[in-house]
Structures are given as structure tokens and as C-alpha cells.
């Protein structure tokens, strides 16, 4: 009776519970070997991707080392599924070691041990290696496609949500005049109460003091309302398309900044008044921008009719 060593593997990409995966892989191996011997030792790697070579899988590497030992304790190795054991050309790189040390490799899909002289067996194992590589590639493609689709869908939602917030956050052109008008109406209501109190016999001096304060407040409000409605241009609200164009333009600016000279970046950030605060507890960075207004100095000549006046602290003499 032969003594078999079992070799198996499971990783996160297989999306299986390690114990469950071990059970069904070793069950396949036992179904193949039970009439020829028994499994005396198990080598099962957990969390190792199929693309990792045997020498970098802890348990598989241990098995390869034991192959060199005459007293290794087993006569043959059996695997549960070739796609999990071999990836790409791993079989052609690993099987010669088995052959060199005279250890048989049993595979359920072959129905027994691999024949080193059989081209058919070599072809079958090469096909399984290609299938394993193809499966991993398909998993990567599906994951990347899913992530790209999620980013596209969620990104589109976030952009639309941000545009909605920016549009709603714009100041209302009529908000300030309406607020001032309501305040003036409130002053009129107070003055009416004061007149009613005076007619009811309240102290005239006290009512005069109260009314004086309200009249001053009302006069200031009327002046502000006049300035807001006649002497200044009300703020214009941007349309949703306009906001989108601005955001797209800023996206282009970001692309330019990524490849800009560090000195140029520093100058831009200084003009923006950019500050970054890092919160060690939440591991979040908050950015603050305080752009400085562009101030221009314009000199107008009066046609030379009046000589320039000397600035304080300077002299016109040479």
C-alpha cells in the first residue's frame, strides 16, 4: 500500500471557506487513492493565489523540500484539482523535480499517476495550467469591469449631486432686499405699538426713547434697501450647465497642475491661499482656500496740467 501526501490550495480569489475547500479537495484525492493506499500527511496552503510559484507557497515549498529526503514518510503525492495546484507553466517547471526524486504525482483528472513519458498527460496538464491562468484572468477582468462600472455609476451620481448642491448654494438675487423689507416691516410694527402705548397713557419720555432707536434702525435699513435695489447690480445665478462647464475647466486645470513645475505649483497654491489640515484621529485631510482678490493700481495723467505730488516719505529731488 502506498503512502500518499495530499497537496491542496485555496485563496481569497476562490471565494471559498478554507475548511470547505480542503474537505472537497481531499475527498477527490481519497476517491482516487483509497484502493491503492492512504493519505498520511496533508500540505494545504491558505490565502495563496494560484499564480504564486510552488517555492513561494509555504506548504508547497515544504513538500518540495521533503521530496529530497529519502525518509520523507510518503511514496507519492496526490492533488485534488490540477487547476488549483498548477498555474500557467508551473507543471512543466515542477514535475521534473518529482521525476528526479522518483515520487509519483497522482491527479484525479488523469485517473492515476502522471506518466513522465506520456505526451498526452503532459498536454492534459498544460491545458489545466492554461485553464487556471484563464480563470484568474477572467476574475481580474470581471473585478476591474465591476469596479469601473461602479466608479462610473457612483461618480456620475456624485457629480450630479455636487452640481445640485452648488446650484442651490448660490445666493438669491432677491434674498437681501426681501430680508431688508421684512426688517423694515418689523420696525413699523414696533412703532405702531409705541403709538398705541402712548395713546393708552404711557410715559411720553420713555416712548420717545424707544421710538428714537427704532427710527434710527429703520432709516439705516431703508438706506441699505435703496443701495441693494438701485445702486448695485444683483448677483447673477449660474445655470446648471454653466456650473458644469466651470467644473470641467477646473478638471483641466488639475491635469495641468499634475505635470507643472513644483515652483509654479507653489505660486498657484500661495495665490489660492491653500492650507491643508491633517486630522490624526480620523486620518482625513481638510483643504481650505482663501484666494486673494486681484488688486490693480491705475495711474491717470491729467495731461501734465498738475505736477505729481510727492508721496509721503519720499523726495522729488534728485
Amino acid at each position: 500500500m502506498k503512502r500518499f501526501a495530499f497537496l491542496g490550495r485555496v485563496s481569497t480569489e476562490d471565494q471559498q471557506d478554507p475548511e470547505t475547500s480542503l474537505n472537497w479537495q481531499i475527498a477527490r484525492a481519497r476517491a482516487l487513492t483509497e484502493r491503492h493506499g492512504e493519505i498520511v500527511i496533508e500540505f494545504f496552503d491558505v490565502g495563496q493565489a494560484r499564480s504564486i510559484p510552488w517555492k513561494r507557497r509555504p506548504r508547497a515549498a515544504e513538500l518540495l523540500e521533503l521530496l529530497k529526503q529519502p525518509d520523507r514518510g510518503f511514496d507519492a503525492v496526490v492533488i485534488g484539482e490540477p487547476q488549483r495546484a498548477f498555474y500557467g507553466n508551473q507543471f512543466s517547471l515542477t514535475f521534473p523535480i518529482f521525476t528526479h526524486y522518483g515520487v509519483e504525482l497522482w491527479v484525479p483528472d488523469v485517473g492515476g499517476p502522471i506518466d513522465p513519458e506520456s505526451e498526452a498527460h503532459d498536454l492534459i496538464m498544460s491545458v489545466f495550467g492554461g485553464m487556471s491562468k484563464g480563470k484568474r484572468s477572467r476574475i481580474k477582468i470581471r473585478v476591474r469591469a465591476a469596479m469601473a462600472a461602479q466608479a462610473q455609476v457612483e461618480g456620475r451620481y456624485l457629480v450630479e449631486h455636487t452640481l445640485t448642491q452648488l446650484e442651490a448654494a448660490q445666493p438669491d438675487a432677491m434674498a437681501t432686499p426681501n430680508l431688508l423689507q421684512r426688517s423694515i416691516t418689523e420696525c413699523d410694527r414696533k412703532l405702531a405699538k409705541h403709538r398705541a402705548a402712548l395713546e393708552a397713557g404711557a410715559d411720553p419720555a420713555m416712548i420717545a426713547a424707544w421710538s428714537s432707536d427704532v427710527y434710527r434702525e429703520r432709516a439705516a435699513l431703508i438706506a441699505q434697501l435703496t443701495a441693494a435695489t438701485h445702486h448695485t447690480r444683483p448677483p447673477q445665478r449660474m445655470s446648471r450647465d454653466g456650473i458644469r462647464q466651470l467644473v470641467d475647466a477646473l478638471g483641466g486645470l488639475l491635469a495641468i497642475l499634475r505635470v507643472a513645475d513644483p515652483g509654479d505649483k507653489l505660486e498657484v497654491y500661495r495665490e489660492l491661499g491653500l492650507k491643508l489640515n491633517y486630522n490624526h484621529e480620523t486620518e482625513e485631510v481638510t483643504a481650505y482656500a482663501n484666494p486673494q482678490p486681484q488688486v490693480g493700481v491705475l495711474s491717470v495723467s491729467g495731461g501734465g496740467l498738475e505736477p505729481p505730488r510727492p508721496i509721503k516719505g519720499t523726495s522729488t529731488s534728485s
Side-chain angles (χ1 to χ4, degrees), residues 6 11 16 25 34 50 56 114 133 194 197 214 252 254 281-282 290 303:
F6 165 76
S11 72
Q16 288 190 2
Q25 289 184 56
E34 59 185 358
R50 66 186 73 215
R56 290 172 51 196
I114 297 293
K133 186 174 183 179
H194 293 170
V214 177
L254 291 177
E281 296 181 356
T282 61
N290 184 24

Side-chain angles (χ1 to χ4, degrees), residues 267-280:
E267 187 64 27
V268 172
Y269 296 151
R270 280 177 176 171
E271 292 185 3
L272 290 175
L274 182 65
K275 293 183 180 180
L276 302 177
N277 287 347
Y278 177 70
N279 190 319
H280 293 275

Side-chain angles (χ1 to χ4, degrees), residues 1-5 36-38 40-41 67 69-78 98 101-106:
M1 299 292 286
K2 289 183 179 290
R3 298 170 300 170
F4 287 93
H36 307 277
E38 64 176 343
V40 296
I41 187 172
L67 293 180
Q69 308 298 326
D71 57 346
R72 65 183 70 93
F74 55 87
D75 309 306
V77 175
V78 59
F98 285 78
Y101 292 108
V103 178
E104 294 180 336
L105 177 62
W106 287 54

Side-chain angles (χ1 to χ4, degrees), residues 67-218:
L67 293 180
K68 306 174 184 178
Q69 308 298 326
D71 57 346
R72 65 183 70 93
F74 55 87
D75 309 306
V77 175
V78 59
I79 61 177
E81 185 183 58
Q83 295 97 317
R84 292 180 182 271
F86 301 106
Y87 171 88
N89 65 343
Q90 288 179 359
F91 173 77
S92 63
L93 298 175
T94 307
F95 186 62
I97 302 176
F98 285 78
T99 304
H100 177 76
Y101 292 108
V103 178
E104 294 180 336
L105 177 62
W106 287 54
V107 179
D109 302 80
V110 175
I114 297 293
D115 183 356
E117 304 299 327
S118 173
E119 293 184 2
H121 284 186
D122 184 70
L123 178 60
I124 291 173
M125 296 305 296
S126 298
V127 170
F128 283 131
M131 292 173 59
S132 177
K133 186 174 183 179
K135 180 177 180 180
R136 187 170 188 269
S137 298
R138 287 194 299 274
I139 291 173
K140 290 170 63 177
I141 291 173
R142 287 199 299 266
V143 170
R144 289 174 179 173
M147 292 176 65
Q150 183 178 11
Q152 184 177 9
V153 172
E154 293 189 359
R156 184 163 56 244
Y157 165 76
L158 290 175
V159 169
E160 296 301 327
H161 179 66
T162 302
L163 290 176
T164 300
Q165 289 186 318
L166 290 174
E167 186 179 19
Q170 296 182 87
D172 189 350
M174 296 302 297
T176 299
N178 290 342
L179 180 61
L180 292 171
Q181 188 60 58
R182 285 196 296 270
S183 299
I184 293 173
T185 302
E186 178 63 20
C187 289
D188 292 339
R189 187 186 64 81
K190 291 180 180 179
L191 292 173
K193 291 179 62 177
H194 293 170
R195 284 193 295 269
L198 182 62
E199 294 174 358
D203 183 6
M206 181 178 63
I207 296 298
W210 289 353
S211 298
S212 177
D213 293 336
V214 177
Y215 276 120
R216 281 196 299 270
E217 180 183 357
R218 187 176 186 275

